[in-house]
């Protein structure tokens, strides 16, 4: 929420990307910096998150709401995976199958697949 407010304030004086392409390029640049060998610092991840918030702002999406909804969706699906039985000892592929089944069940029940 703070990042969103700061970006909105900067935009009021014209310190903003002219179009969505500039924002997307910045997100990609920040992701590359995070992934660069030896550069995985809290500052780089912070810059990436800040850029993603800006992307949401340019798309008209409230970043706080989007993150909360994403976390809730993950929690629902993960709990569905756990209801199928213990996850301990499963391979990543087996867990991924459960994840996809949870997504499909959510979609079949009228939820979002995204």
């Amino acid at each position: 929420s703070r990042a969103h407010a700061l970006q909105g304030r900067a935009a009021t004086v014209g310190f903003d990307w002219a179009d969505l392409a500039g924002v997307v390029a910045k997100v990609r640049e920040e992701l590359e910096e995070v992934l660069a060998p030896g550069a995985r610092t809290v500052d780089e991840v912070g810059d990436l998150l800040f850029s993603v918030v800006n992307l949401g702002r340019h798309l008209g999406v409230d970043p706080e709401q989007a993150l909360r909804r994403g976390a809730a969706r993950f929690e629902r699906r993960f709990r569905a995976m756990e209801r199928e039985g213990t996850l301990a000892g499963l391979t990543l592929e087996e867990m991924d199958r459960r994840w996809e089944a949870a997504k499909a069940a959510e979609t079949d029940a009228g939820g979002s697949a995204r």
Side-chain angles (χ1 to χ4, degrees):
S1 291
R2 175 138 173 83
H4 189 260
L6 288 168
Q7 292 166 0
R9 180 174 160 209
T12 64
V13 296
F15 190 58
D16 198 5
W17 296 104
D19 57 27
L20 188 60
V23 181
V24 170
K26 186 64 174 174
V27 169
R28 288 183 175 136
E29 173 191 323
E30 295 298 347
L31 178 59
E32 289 300 317
E33 289 178 14
V34 167
L35 297 176
R40 296 180 190 172
T41 67
V42 68
D43 290 336
E44 295 300 338
V45 172
D47 291 347
L48 174 61
L49 291 171
F50 193 83
S51 296
V52 170
V53 167
N54 205 13
L55 176 63
R57 186 176 64 82
H58 275 262
L59 293 172
V61 173
D62 179 280
E64 183 70 24
Q65 180 186 29
L67 185 56
R68 287 181 188 275
R69 288 178 65 165
R73 193 169 47 253
F74 177 89
E75 182 178 23
R76 281 192 311 272
R77 292 172 182 174
F78 192 76
R79 287 182 188 269
M81 290 171 60
E82 291 175 317
R83 284 193 296 274
E84 296 297 317
T86 185
L87 299 174
L90 293 181
T91 66
L92 185 55
E93 290 78 18
E94 291 167 325
M95 285 188 272
D96 192 49
R97 278 194 291 277
R98 284 194 190 179
W99 178 264
E100 292 301 323
K103 275 178 61 175
E106 204 171 75
T107 301
D108 292 345
S112 172
R114 292 182 220 168

